[in-house]
Amino acid sequence: MTLEPTDKRALLAFILGTQLVGVAASLFTGPNIEGWYAGLIKPDISPPNWVFAPVWITLYLLMAVAAWRVWRVAGLNSREMVLYFVQLGLNFAWSFIFFQMHRIDMALVEIGTLLALIVVTANAFRRRDGIAGLLFLPYMAW
């Protein structure tokens, strides 16, 4: 597939914008890892802290590519793009609620809402572009 310059710029914008959400969320996460988060009782299946950064960088990249693929078909003002940006906002909000506010109860409710919206977004993406829907699967699994 040959990409037009507009497509390349849009892809870059989706990648940078989505990664920026992750960077902004890390401003709440990072300072709380060694102190507050380290003191929590976590299940044995919790991954080590060093895994989170590369996993989230990858997940945000996959999300951005999925959104870009759908944007090419549906446009920016589509229902799919609204779903994408709302779930991205909820993704960011979770880090604030959990790491900054230390509200595990609220974070649990918020992440349940986020997961439901991720499923709806992935399904909406799948209807527009099968690959875009598949690109959301690792995000759902994490």
Side-chain angles (χ1 to χ4, degrees):
M1 163 176 32
T2 304
L3 297 179
E4 297 295 322
T6 304
D7 285 338
K8 290 178 185 178
R9 285 191 297 274
L11 176 58
L12 183 60
F14 273 105
I15 291 170
L16 291 176
T18 303
Q19 292 291 346
L20 185 59
V21 170
V23 169
S26 75
L27 298 175
F28 306 120
T29 306
N32 287 287
I33 294 294
E34 297 298 322
W36 179 77
Y37 183 73
L40 295 177
I41 299 170
K42 296 178 272 308
D44 293 337
I45 62 168
S46 293
N49 291 343
W50 65 266
V51 169
F52 288 91
V55 165
W56 276 107
I57 289 168
T58 303
L59 292 175
Y60 284 129
L61 176 63
L62 295 173
M63 291 163 52
V65 172
W68 170 77
R69 291 180 64 92
V70 170
W71 164 81
R72 291 180 77 209
V73 177
L76 195 58
N77 293 322
S78 65
R79 174 182 176 269
E80 293 83 359
M81 289 293 98
V82 169
L83 290 169
Y84 178 74
F85 290 117
V86 171
Q87 71 78 31
L88 197 57
L90 286 177
N91 178 296
F92 171 81
W94 185 87
S95 294
F96 179 77
I97 294 166
F98 186 80
F99 285 104
Q100 185 67 30
M101 296 175 60
H102 303 166
R103 290 294 308 267
I104 297 170
D105 56 340
M106 286 176 59
L108 182 60
V109 171
E110 200 273 359
I111 205 160
T113 305
L114 174 58
L115 180 56
L117 192 55
I118 292 168
V119 170
V120 169
T121 303
N123 192 42
F125 275 21
R126 179 191 56 79
R127 281 192 233 117
R128 291 286 188 159
D129 180 285
I131 292 171
L134 291 173
L135 290 171
F136 252 63
L137 292 179
Y139 180 33
M140 261 193 289
W142 183 258

